[in-house]
Amino acid sequence: MAIDVKVDEAVYMAVVNHNQPDKVAKRIMKLLEELSDGRSKYDDIMSFMETILDAIETDNYEELE
């Protein structure tokens, strides 16, 4: 099943707004595409989650006051 363009735009906007690299959005969209077909296995989902978490940059994280 195709993901709605508005979802794609929202994911990319959120990634940009949080100063994350494009690969984070791409990996999130890939996970959503896999989930939308309804055939994903737990291990596959966890693998996608790991790649997403690995792509998130935290070096420039500033603690909110």
Side-chain angles (χ1 to χ4, degrees), residues 1 3 5-6 9 13 15 18 24-26 31-32 34-35 37-40 42 44-45 47 52 57-58 60-62:
M1 172 186 258
I3 303 294
V5 174
K6 290 182 181 182
E9 291 171 355
M13 185 178 295
V15 167
H18 292 290
V24 174
K26 291 176 185 174
L31 172 62
L32 292 176
E34 290 293 318
L35 290 172
D37 74 9
R39 296 181 291 157
S40 298
Y42 177 79
D44 296 335
I45 295 168
S47 178
I52 292 167
E57 295 180 358
T58 58
N60 59 358
Y61 173 77
E62 293 180 18

Side-chain angles (χ1 to χ4, degrees), residues 9-64:
E9 291 171 355
V11 168
Y12 276 88
M13 185 178 295
V15 167
V16 168
N17 287 343
H18 292 290
N19 300 317
Q20 293 298 317
D22 286 346
K23 64 184 175 182
V24 174
K26 291 176 185 174
R27 293 176 184 188
I28 291 171
M29 291 309 301
K30 182 66 177 166
L31 172 62
L32 292 176
E33 289 169 10
E34 290 293 318
L35 290 172
S36 71
D37 74 9
R39 296 181 291 157
S40 298
K41 296 180 181 173
Y42 177 79
D43 290 338
D44 296 335
I45 295 168
M46 294 309 295
S47 178
F48 276 111
M49 292 301 295
E50 283 184 32
T51 64
I52 292 167
L53 293 174
D54 288 343
I56 294 173
E57 295 180 358
T58 58
D59 293 342
N60 59 358
Y61 173 77
E62 293 180 18
E63 191 167 333
L64 299 174

